[in-house]
Amino acid sequence: MGEPIKVLLVDDHQVVRRGLRTFLEVQDDIEVVGEAADGAEGVARAEELRPDIVLMDVKMPGMDGIDALRRLRELDNPARVLIVTSFTEQRTVVPALRAGAAGYVYKDVDPDALAGAIRSVHAGHILLQPEVADALLSQEEANMGQGRGGSLTEREREVLGLIADGRSNREIARALVLSEKTVKTHVSNILMKLDLADRTQAALWAVRHGVTG
């Protein structure tokens, strides 16, 4: 077994943090390395501890989860952020995904599903539930490259399909027998041609338009 997945818990409710820690401490491949009670503390702890995954609440006093996520991206912190939310907060999940979240889980998630979500996001996958993906797509369809798929080359469509499958650049390079540098160039061209901001939007566009790996 390799190194455990290092997880940072960011939530203003101590009871929630305690529950999440209890869920995760029984997993052999997951290690909770720290906790934070608000977004600002979460950013500072993420910079200090360099976790693999940050489980981030959305609504917190002071700096909320979305602003904390944006700050982590500005700092080029490599941690992948998994939003922990409730179904009723769907309107706040969409901005979080736009800001670069790798996905989200509900606060009432069962332990096995939570551990599975962490492993999936750590492996490079994007974790979206259909109802939130639909909300994001309907809000962004006007400026997410609608009707521009025809400008992609066949190779770019192959790369896009693998992005939609949650593959990393390294995995795409292996699958298509290309160098990682070439894959990065293809990804940049895809985002430019479709006028998309990041891989999450590219994956959503691919799903909506039936481009699969």
Side-chain angles (χ1 to χ4, degrees):
M1 182 180 296
E3 292 292 320
I5 301 169
K6 296 183 293 184
V7 176
L8 172 66
L9 307 177
V10 183
D11 195 293
D12 61 315
H13 292 99
Q14 184 177 4
V15 172
V16 173
R17 297 199 308 272
R18 185 178 300 164
L20 290 171
R21 181 182 281 274
T22 300
F23 282 173
L24 299 175
E25 284 183 338
V26 299
Q27 306 295 324
D28 292 336
D29 60 337
I30 297 174
E31 177 186 2
V32 177
V33 295
E35 300 180 16
D38 58 50
E41 185 184 3
V43 171
R45 296 287 280 165
E47 286 290 280
E48 172 193 355
L49 299 170
R50 310 300 280 185
D52 301 305
I53 304 293
V54 177
L55 287 181
M56 182 87 75
D57 189 17
V58 176
K59 295 181 179 179
M60 294 180 287
M63 181 183 288
D64 65 17
I66 296 172
D67 286 339
L69 175 56
R70 290 178 180 138
R71 182 59 181 151
L72 287 174
R73 297 289 79 84
E74 290 171 0
L75 293 169
D76 288 328
N77 190 291
R80 290 173 65 79
V81 176
L82 188 58
I83 294 294
V84 182
T85 185
S86 65
F87 180 79
T88 57
E89 292 172 338
Q90 188 176 123
R91 283 183 292 183
T92 60
V93 173
V94 172
L97 294 172
R98 289 186 191 137
Y104 72 96
V105 292
Y106 296 133
K107 285 191 174 180
D108 61 354
V109 64
D110 68 73
D112 289 339
L114 176 60
I118 290 171
R119 294 184 186 108
S120 178
V121 168
H122 182 252
H125 297 275
I126 297 167
L127 192 67
L128 294 176
Q129 295 295 327
E131 63 273 11
V132 171
D134 287 345
L136 182 58
L137 285 163
S138 63
Q139 288 185 25
E140 300 238 347
E141 193 165 55
N143 58 8
M144 280 184 63
Q146 176 72 13
R148 297 180 185 174
S151 66
L152 298 179
T153 67
E154 183 176 348
R155 178 63 85 187
E156 287 165 353
R157 291 181 70 86
E158 289 178 325
V159 171
L160 179 58
L162 292 171
I163 290 173
D165 288 343
R167 306 285 191 94
S168 66
N169 284 351
R170 179 174 296 181
E171 291 171 329
I172 294 172
R174 288 175 180 169
L176 300 180
V177 195
L178 300 171
S179 69
E180 283 191 60
K181 183 177 180 180
T182 299
V183 172
K184 288 180 182 178
T185 299
H186 285 314
V187 172
S188 296
N189 289 341
I190 290 166
L191 297 180
M192 179 184 66
K193 288 182 177 181
L194 298 181
D195 191 24
L196 305 176
D198 52 40
R199 295 172 75 97
T200 301
Q201 287 192 357
L204 290 167
W205 191 97
V207 171
R208 186 59 173 257
H209 294 277
V211 180
T212 58

